[in-house]
Amino acid sequence: MEGTGLALMNRTPEPSRAQAAPRQAQARPLFAGLGPLGALPTAPRLARAFTGLVLAGWGLARLTEDCGLIISELTSNVVRAATGPDGQPRYDVHGRLPVLWLRLSSDRAWLWLEVCDNLTPELGVPAPRQAAATDETGRGLELVSALSQDWGWDVFPGNDVKRVWAALA
Ligand SMILES: Nc1ncnc2c1ncn2[C@@H]1O[C@H](COP(=O)(O)OP(=O)(O)OP(=O)(O)O)[C@@H](O)[C@H]1O
Ligand SMILES: [Mg+2]
């Protein structure tokens, strides 16, 4: 599984609709990746802790809170999509656990946060909801939008990897 994840991580998505989406994150002066991690309830906390450590190392600790929230929302969305109605992970036809991974990159002007997963788009794609005042859920992507300058999502060629990203100035 690890080999597959690393191969996926190193791929570049097709041009995105948004200019701010990173093309080759690894080519940026600052790059850090985590995963693949099983898309399990433990993943968001680990992803958030990793993000905080990386940002501190890059001298961007002031962004830790906002980025931690964004990463929590994006990874939680993957975990939710990766979990079946019985509460169990949606193993694929080969019995493999769904995975997610993170890419953080910066050119010192912009910071990009990317959360990728290997769930087929048939299981859902990011779609901001119009949460009513009484709704307890449906605000995650709204929060991502509020905390970032831009965000978006795309699917890699072959439909086997989905990426949701947010960019902060
Ligand atoms: N990575 C993803 N894979 C598949 N579907 C996604 C993904 N991210 C988001 N979605 C879809 O987009 C919808 C909106 O996401 P959003 O985070 O705004 O709300 P929510 O997750 O339903 O509720 P909340 O985040 O408030 O707990 C989700 O309900 C889900 O259907
Ligand atoms: Mg959510």
Side-chain angles (χ1 to χ4, degrees):
M1 181 171 76
E2 186 175 321
T4 308
L6 287 174
L8 295 173
M9 226 179 133
N10 288 326
R11 283 170 42 194
T12 302
E14 281 177 331
S16 157
R17 62 185 164 80
Q19 292 304 313
R23 300 279 188 271
Q24 292 173 312
Q26 293 90 337
R28 297 187 183 281
L30 298 176
F31 174 80
L34 175 70
L37 308 174
L40 297 168
T42 45
R45 183 176 293 201
L46 179 56
R48 190 172 183 155
F50 174 79
T51 301
L53 286 172
V54 170
L55 293 180
W58 289 353
L60 296 173
R62 66 185 181 283
L63 297 176
T64 298
E65 194 175 335
D66 285 359
C67 291
L69 284 169
I70 292 171
I71 288 292
S72 289
E73 291 300 334
L74 299 184
T75 51
S76 298
N77 281 348
V78 176
V79 174
R80 184 170 296 170
T83 306
D86 57 356
Q88 297 300 310
R90 296 182 197 270
Y91 292 94
D92 73 9
V93 289
H94 305 292
R96 291 176 301 208
L97 188 66
V99 295
L100 64 85
W101 60 101
L102 255 63
R103 304 199 302 185
L104 312 181
S105 59
S106 176
D107 60 3
R108 292 265 174 218
W110 286 87
L111 172 68
W112 288 276
L113 312 176
E114 299 171 74
V115 174
C116 302
D117 67 65
N118 66 345
L119 295 167
T120 163
E122 282 81 56
L123 289 174
V125 296
R129 291 162 47 187
Q130 305 291 325
T134 50
D135 288 347
E136 287 181 8
T137 61
R139 294 192 179 77
L141 292 173
E142 214 176 291
L143 184 68
V144 170
S145 173
L147 294 177
S148 63
Q149 272 63 52
D150 200 3
W151 77 277
W153 66 274
D154 43 26
V155 173
F156 286 57
N159 268 2
D160 54 352
V161 174
K162 169 160 31 78
R163 175 183 74 154
V164 190
W165 57 268
L168 287 83

